[in-house]
Amino acid sequence: MNFEPRATRKDITGLSLLSGKLRNTPVSPVVMKKVDIYGAQHLLGALSNPEVFSYGVEMYEAYKKRSLPGDITDEQKKVQEADLVIFQFPLYWFSVPAILKGWMDRVLCQGFAFDIPGFYDSGLLQGKLALLSVTTGGTAEMYTKTGVSGDFRYFLWPLQHGTLHFCGFKVLAPQINFAPEIASEEERKGMVAAWAQRLQTIWKEEPIPCTVPWYFGQ
C-alpha cells in the first residue's frame, strides 16, 4: 500500500503535488493558497489555529469538515464496514511496527474513532470487534510473570486497552505465536493450523474483560 505513517500538518492542509501526482484529497479552493516548499508546489488549506499547531485538534476539525486526505478516509471506510478488525504484526519493542503505529495515529482520529466524551465503552467504534494477531522474537517462556520480559499481557495493555478499547472496540483474546523464526517447521505449521482453526469459529467467541485485573492480576 505504501501507506504514509507520518502524522504531519499535510494531513490537514490537503492537496500535495509531488512528481506530478495528486497524493491527497484537496480541501475547498476557497481556503487554499499556493506556496513552494523545497521545490514542490503545495496547495494548503487553512488551519483552525495557525498560531499553535495541534495535530489532534486540527484532525478533529478536518474530520468534521470532511476534508481529511483520501488515504485516511479510505482506511476509515474499511473500518466502518468491518465487523471484526484483525491487526496482524510482528512485535517491535513491545509494540506495533512504525507503519501500523502511524495508521493508528492518522486513521483513529477524534470524531471518527472517539470523542470527548465518547471513549472506552462509549467509544465511537462500539459494536465492532478487534483482535491482535502477533508474532514475537522471544519464546513463550520469556513472556511469563517470571520471565525476563514479563507476562505477555503487560505489553497488550496500551494496545488493547489504551487504543482499541478506548475507541470502543470489543477486544477478543489475542492470537500470539511465540518465536516462529526459531521454531521447527512442524511447530510453525502447527501455529498456522491453530490460527486457521480458530478463525472458523471466531464469531462464537466472547470479548475479554477490558479491566486492569485481566492484564495485571488482582
Coordinates of all heavy atoms in Angstrom, one line a residue, residues 90-129:
P90 N 4.3 -8.3 13.6 CA 5.4 -8.7 14.4 C 5.6 -7.7 15.6 O 5.5 -6.5 15.4 CB 6.6 -8.8 13.5 CG 6.3 -7.7 12.5 CD 4.8 -7.6 12.3
L91 N 5.9 -8.2 16.8 CA 6.1 -7.3 17.9 C 7.4 -6.6 17.8 O 8.5 -7.2 17.7 CB 6.0 -8.2 19.2 CG 6.0 -7.4 20.5 CD1 4.6 -6.7 20.6 CD2 6.2 -8.3 21.7
Y92 N 7.3 -5.3 17.8 CA 8.5 -4.4 17.7 C 8.6 -3.7 19.0 O 7.7 -2.8 19.3 CB 8.5 -3.5 16.5 CG 8.8 -4.0 15.2 CD1 8.8 -5.4 14.9 CD2 9.1 -3.1 14.1 CE1 9.1 -5.8 13.7 CE2 9.5 -3.6 12.9 CZ 9.5 -4.9 12.6 OH 9.8 -5.4 11.4
W93 N 9.7 -3.9 19.8 CA 9.9 -3.1 21.0 C 8.6 -3.1 21.9 O 8.2 -2.1 22.4 CB 10.3 -1.7 20.7 CG 11.6 -1.7 20.0 CD1 11.9 -1.2 18.8 CD2 12.9 -2.1 20.6 NE1 13.2 -1.3 18.5 CE2 13.9 -1.8 19.6 CE3 13.3 -2.6 21.8 CZ2 15.2 -2.1 19.7 CZ3 14.7 -2.9 22.0 CH2 15.6 -2.6 20.9
F94 N 8.0 -4.3 22.0 CA 6.7 -4.4 22.8 C 5.6 -3.6 22.3 O 4.6 -3.3 23.0 CB 7.0 -4.0 24.3 CG 7.7 -5.0 25.1 CD1 8.5 -6.0 24.6 CD2 7.6 -5.0 26.5 CE1 9.1 -7.0 25.3 CE2 8.2 -5.9 27.3 CZ 9.0 -6.9 26.7
S95 N 5.6 -3.3 21.0 CA 4.5 -2.5 20.4 C 4.4 -2.9 18.9 O 4.9 -3.9 18.5 CB 4.9 -1.0 20.5 OG 3.8 -0.3 20.1
V96 N 3.7 -2.1 18.2 CA 3.5 -2.3 16.8 C 4.6 -1.7 15.9 O 5.2 -0.7 16.4 CB 2.1 -1.7 16.3 CG1 1.0 -2.5 17.0 CG2 2.0 -0.2 16.6
P97 N 4.8 -2.2 14.7 CA 5.8 -1.5 13.8 C 5.4 -0.1 13.5 O 4.2 0.3 13.6 CB 5.8 -2.4 12.6 CG 5.3 -3.7 13.1 CD 4.3 -3.4 14.2
A98 N 6.3 0.7 13.0 CA 6.1 2.1 12.8 C 4.9 2.4 11.9 O 4.1 3.4 12.1 CB 7.3 2.8 12.3
I99 N 4.8 1.7 10.8 CA 3.7 2.0 9.8 C 2.3 1.7 10.5 O 1.4 2.5 10.3 CB 3.9 1.2 8.5 CG1 5.2 1.7 7.8 CG2 2.7 1.4 7.6 CD1 5.5 1.0 6.5
L100 N 2.2 0.6 11.2 CA 0.9 0.4 11.9 C 0.7 1.4 13.0 O -0.5 1.8 13.1 CB 0.9 -1.0 12.5 CG -0.4 -1.5 13.1 CD1 -1.6 -1.3 12.2 CD2 -0.3 -3.0 13.5
K101 N 1.7 1.8 13.7 CA 1.5 2.9 14.7 C 1.0 4.2 14.0 O 0.1 4.9 14.5 CB 2.8 3.2 15.4 CG 2.8 4.3 16.4 CD 1.7 4.1 17.5 CE 1.8 5.1 18.7 NZ 1.6 6.5 18.3
G102 N 1.6 4.5 12.8 CA 1.2 5.6 12.1 C -0.3 5.5 11.6 O -1.0 6.5 11.5
W103 N -0.6 4.3 11.2 CA -2.0 4.0 10.8 C -3.0 4.4 11.9 O -4.0 5.0 11.7 CB -2.2 2.6 10.4 CG -3.5 2.2 9.8 CD1 -3.9 2.2 8.5 CD2 -4.7 1.8 10.5 NE1 -5.2 1.8 8.3 CE2 -5.7 1.6 9.6 CE3 -5.0 1.7 11.9 CZ2 -7.0 1.1 10.0 CZ3 -6.2 1.3 12.3 CH2 -7.2 1.0 11.3
M104 N -2.6 3.9 13.1 CA -3.5 4.2 14.3 C -3.5 5.7 14.6 O -4.6 6.3 14.8 CB -3.0 3.5 15.5 CG -3.1 2.0 15.4 SD -2.3 1.1 16.8 CE -2.9 -0.6 16.5
D105 N -2.4 6.4 14.5 CA -2.3 7.8 14.8 C -3.2 8.6 13.8 O -3.9 9.6 14.2 CB -0.9 8.3 14.7 CG 0.0 7.8 15.8 OD1 -0.5 7.3 16.8 OD2 1.2 7.8 15.6
R106 N -3.1 8.2 12.5 CA -3.8 9.0 11.5 C -5.3 8.6 11.3 O -6.1 9.5 11.0 CB -3.0 8.9 10.1 CG -1.6 9.4 10.2 CD -0.9 9.3 8.8 NE -1.5 10.2 7.9 CZ -1.8 9.8 6.6 NH1 -1.5 8.6 6.2 NH2 -2.3 10.7 5.7
V107 N -5.6 7.3 11.3 CA -6.9 6.8 11.0 C -7.9 7.0 12.2 O -9.0 7.4 12.0 CB -6.8 5.4 10.5 CG1 -8.2 4.8 10.2 CG2 -6.0 5.3 9.2
L108 N -7.4 6.6 13.4 CA -8.3 6.6 14.5 C -8.4 8.0 15.2 O -8.1 8.1 16.3 CB -7.8 5.5 15.5 CG -7.7 4.1 15.0 CD1 -7.2 3.2 16.0 CD2 -9.0 3.6 14.4
C109 N -8.8 8.9 14.4 CA -8.8 10.3 14.9 C -10.1 10.6 15.7 O -11.1 9.9 15.6 CB -8.7 11.3 13.7 SG -10.1 11.3 12.6
Q110 N -10.1 11.7 16.4 CA -11.2 12.2 17.2 C -12.3 12.5 16.2 O -12.1 13.1 15.1 CB -10.9 13.4 18.0 CG -12.0 13.9 18.9 CD -11.7 15.1 19.8 OE1 -10.5 15.5 19.7 NE2 -12.6 15.6 20.5
G111 N -13.5 12.1 16.5 CA -14.7 12.4 15.6 C -15.0 11.1 14.9 O -16.2 10.8 14.6
F112 N -14.0 10.3 14.5 CA -14.2 9.0 13.9 C -14.2 7.9 14.8 O -15.1 7.1 14.9 CB -13.2 8.8 12.8 CG -13.2 7.4 12.2 CD1 -14.3 7.0 11.4 CD2 -12.3 6.5 12.5 CE1 -14.4 5.8 10.8 CE2 -12.3 5.2 12.0 CZ -13.4 4.8 11.2
A113 N -13.1 7.8 15.6 CA -13.0 6.6 16.5 C -13.4 6.9 17.9 O -13.7 6.0 18.7 CB -11.5 6.1 16.5
F114 N -13.3 8.1 18.3 CA -13.6 8.5 19.7 C -14.0 10.0 19.7 O -13.8 10.7 18.8 CB -12.5 8.3 20.7 CG -11.3 9.2 20.4 CD1 -11.2 10.4 21.1 CD2 -10.3 8.9 19.5 CE1 -10.1 11.3 20.9 CE2 -9.3 9.8 19.2 CZ -9.2 11.0 20.0
D115 N -14.5 10.4 20.9 CA -14.8 11.8 21.1 C -14.7 12.1 22.5 O -14.5 11.2 23.3 CB -16.2 12.2 20.5 CG -16.2 13.7 20.0 OD1 -15.4 14.5 20.5 OD2 -17.1 13.9 19.1
I116 N -14.8 13.3 23.0 CA -14.7 13.7 24.4 C -16.0 14.5 24.7 O -16.1 15.7 24.4 CB -13.5 14.5 24.6 CG1 -12.3 13.8 24.0 CG2 -13.4 14.9 26.1 CD1 -11.1 13.7 24.7
P117 N -17.0 13.9 25.4 CA -17.0 12.4 25.8 C -17.2 11.5 24.6 O -17.7 12.0 23.6 CB -18.1 12.4 26.8 CG -19.0 13.5 26.4 CD -18.2 14.6 25.8
G118 N -17.0 10.2 24.9 CA -17.2 9.2 23.8 C -16.0 8.3 23.6 O -15.4 8.2 22.5
F119 N -15.6 7.7 24.7 CA -14.4 6.8 24.7 C -14.6 5.6 25.6 O -15.5 5.6 26.4 CB -13.1 7.6 25.0 CG -13.2 8.4 26.3 CD1 -12.8 7.8 27.5 CD2 -13.6 9.7 26.2 CE1 -12.9 8.5 28.6 CE2 -13.6 10.5 27.4 CZ -13.3 9.9 28.6
Y120 N -13.7 4.6 25.5 CA -13.8 3.4 26.2 C -15.2 2.8 25.8 O -15.5 2.6 24.7 CB -13.6 3.5 27.7 CG -12.1 3.7 28.0 CD1 -11.7 4.8 28.7 CD2 -11.1 2.8 27.5 CE1 -10.3 5.0 28.9 CE2 -9.8 3.0 27.7 CZ -9.4 4.1 28.5 OH -8.0 4.3 28.7
D121 N -16.0 2.4 26.8 CA -17.3 1.7 26.5 C -18.2 2.6 25.6 O -19.1 2.1 25.0 CB -18.0 1.3 27.8 CG -17.3 0.2 28.5 OD1 -16.5 -0.5 27.9 OD2 -17.6 0.0 29.7
S122 N -18.0 3.9 25.6 CA -18.8 4.8 24.8 C -18.0 5.2 23.5 O -18.5 6.1 22.8 CB -19.1 6.0 25.6 OG -19.9 5.7 26.7
G123 N -16.9 4.6 23.2 CA -16.2 4.9 22.0 C -17.0 4.8 20.7 O -17.9 4.0 20.7
L124 N -16.6 5.5 19.7 CA -17.4 5.6 18.5 C -17.4 4.3 17.7 O -18.2 4.2 16.7 CB -17.0 6.8 17.7 CG -17.1 8.2 18.4 CD1 -16.7 9.3 17.5 CD2 -18.5 8.4 19.1
L125 N -16.5 3.4 18.0 CA -16.4 2.2 17.2 C -17.0 1.0 18.0 O -16.7 -0.2 17.7 CB -14.9 1.8 16.8 CG -14.3 2.9 16.0 CD1 -12.8 2.5 15.6 CD2 -15.1 3.1 14.7
Q126 N -17.8 1.3 19.0 CA -18.5 0.3 19.8 C -19.4 -0.5 18.8 O -19.9 -0.1 17.9 CB -19.3 0.9 20.9 CG -20.4 1.9 20.4 CD -21.1 2.6 21.6 OE1 -21.8 1.9 22.3 NE2 -20.9 3.9 21.8
G127 N -19.5 -1.8 19.2 CA -20.3 -2.7 18.3 C -19.4 -3.5 17.4 O -19.8 -4.5 16.8
K128 N -18.1 -3.1 17.3 CA -17.1 -3.8 16.4 C -16.2 -4.6 17.3 O -15.9 -4.3 18.5 CB -16.3 -2.8 15.6 CG -17.2 -2.0 14.6 CD -16.3 -1.0 13.8 CE -17.2 -0.2 12.8 NZ -17.9 -1.1 11.8
L129 N -15.6 -5.6 16.7 CA -14.6 -6.5 17.4 C -13.3 -6.2 16.8 O -13.1 -5.8 15.7 CB -15.0 -7.9 17.2 CG -16.3 -8.5 17.7 CD1 -16.5 -9.9 17.2 CD2 -16.3 -8.4 19.2

